[in-house]
Amino acid sequence: MLGNLGRLLGLRSSITRRLVHTERKIRVNGSDLNIVESGSGEQSLLLMPGALGSAWTDFKPQIEQLPKLLPGHTIIAWDPPGYGKSVPPQRKFGLEFFREDAQAAVDLMKALERPRFSILGWSDGGITALIVAGRHAEAVDRLAIWGAGAYLNAEEVKALKNIRDVAKWSPRMREPMEQVYGVERFPQLWAEWVDAACAFYDQRDGDFCRSEVEQIKAPTFILHGKKDPMIAAEHIPWLRERLSHAKYHEFPEGKHNIHLRYAEEFNKLVADFFNKKD
């Protein structure tokens, strides 16, 4: 009986450690940035969300599960400036918004007194992660990305323009973002993002971070959903050619959100990578 009680208490303690998190705002460059922290390890892992994304919309399974798999890490998921609960400021786009997010991320981690950290970056967050790793090599320990490319091609521009009007989306696709930004603000913000992304193609040959990729020194893990409709297939060989020592894993049936659709497998893969000491 006592043995069973001990096991139950141990299980409850394990679940509590895994699920407990704190959410707070950190003052960075005059803005209050919202973060969610879980785990209590000395090493740091920053989770960087996709377009218009936030800690909870993009990384709930990682916030809840990674502390158990990465006991030596503190997991930090942020809402980039102007996204999620990091409002104000109102989100500003332009040809420098990825690099501005990258600098804000570095400044956030300095404010947390965690100036060296690893990154888990999805989609837009993967682009920002590549910039951080290229421009701030001294700050980045390890890097894992998926759903991201270093540039935008003509087919991707066409696809983005086709989904610019969120009124054409299904309610299931719209509602999570409407809950965060409101029914009126979400369509505006999404249209601003699409226009900003397309401006890279019109004014910079689609270049998000080609030069930064060439400067990356951190061990890198590229994950990919083979059926991802959001990025062109050409991005994966392009990245692997320039990050020749990168680890690679493909989900044959995976689309854009492999970390949500295959959360348990995904989390184990990235935890194994971040737990390495080399």
Side-chain angles (χ1 to χ4, degrees):
M1 185 66 155
L2 289 175
N4 288 337
L5 179 60
R7 282 192 290 274
L8 287 171
L9 290 173
L11 177 61
R12 179 174 293 180
S13 176
S14 173
I15 292 172
T16 300
R17 285 196 303 272
R18 184 176 63 197
L19 296 181
V20 165
H21 65 270
T22 59
E23 187 164 0
R24 59 188 174 122
K25 292 193 174 184
I26 304 296
R27 193 75 171 171
V28 178
N29 300 330
S31 299
D32 292 323
L33 300 185
N34 190 70
I35 64 169
V36 179
E37 297 166 287
S38 57
S40 57
E42 291 187 5
Q43 297 181 75
S44 307
L45 175 60
L46 178 62
L47 312 186
M48 308 189 80
L52 278 64
S54 64
W56 286 116
T57 59
D58 289 14
F59 289 121
K60 187 174 185 290
Q62 286 67 49
I63 292 168
E64 294 179 347
Q65 298 172 23
L66 283 181
K68 183 179 180 180
L69 299 171
L70 291 168
H73 288 71
T74 293
I75 313 301
I76 301 156
W78 81 325
D79 298 358
Y83 285 172
K85 297 178 183 177
S86 293
V87 180
Q90 182 171 319
R91 182 68 182 189
K92 293 181 180 179
F93 293 105
L95 294 175
E96 296 299 320
F97 81 86
F98 284 118
R99 292 187 175 117
E100 289 168 357
D101 279 358
Q103 186 62 56
V106 171
D107 292 342
L108 167 67
M109 297 306 284
K110 288 178 180 177
L112 292 171
E113 298 184 350
R114 293 177 174 273
R116 186 166 177 84
F117 53 97
S118 292
I119 308 176
L120 193 60
W122 176 39
S123 196
D124 267 26
I127 297 169
T128 306
L130 290 168
I131 294 172
V132 173
R135 291 195 163 204
H136 304 274
E138 75 290 345
V140 179
D141 187 16
R142 304 177 77 82
L143 169 70
I145 62 166
W146 68 105
Y151 58 90
L152 196 67
N153 70 19
E155 290 183 3
E156 291 169 317
V157 170
K158 182 178 179 180
L160 285 177
K161 289 181 178 179
N162 286 338
I163 59 172
R164 184 180 185 275
D165 182 2
V166 302
K168 298 177 182 178
W169 296 17
S170 69
R172 182 181 66 85
M173 294 296 292
R174 290 197 309 268
E175 285 170 2
M177 287 300 181
E178 288 175 344
Q179 290 174 8
V180 175
Y181 297 105
V183 174
E184 293 185 3
R185 178 57 179 150
F186 169 54
Q188 298 170 355
L189 191 61
W190 178 253
E192 290 168 9
W193 179 86
V194 169
D195 292 346
C198 293
F200 279 92
Y201 184 79
D202 295 333
Q203 301 179 41
R204 289 192 175 175
D205 192 30
D207 186 13
F208 294 142
C209 60
R210 287 188 180 103
S211 62
E212 284 86 354
V213 169
E214 305 282 359
Q215 304 301 316
I216 292 174
K217 297 180 174 62
T220 302
F221 189 8
I222 301 169
L223 301 102
H224 178 55
K226 191 173 183 180
K227 296 183 178 180
D228 188 341
M230 299 301 294
I231 64 167
E234 69 189 57
H235 290 295
I236 304 307
W238 191 96
L239 287 169
R240 294 184 72 187
E241 179 180 343
R242 288 154 182 81
L243 301 170
S244 59
H245 298 292
K247 177 180 173 67
Y248 178 72
H249 183 86
E250 185 172 281
F251 290 78
E253 299 298 317
K255 295 184 180 179
H256 198 54
N257 63 341
I258 52 176
H259 64 304
L260 303 176
R261 177 67 177 81
Y262 306 100
E264 185 175 349
E265 180 183 0
F266 178 94
N267 287 345
K268 186 179 185 305
L269 286 166
V270 297
D272 288 345
F273 172 72
F274 289 120
N275 274 325
K276 288 184 179 179
K277 302 299 182 184
D278 57 339

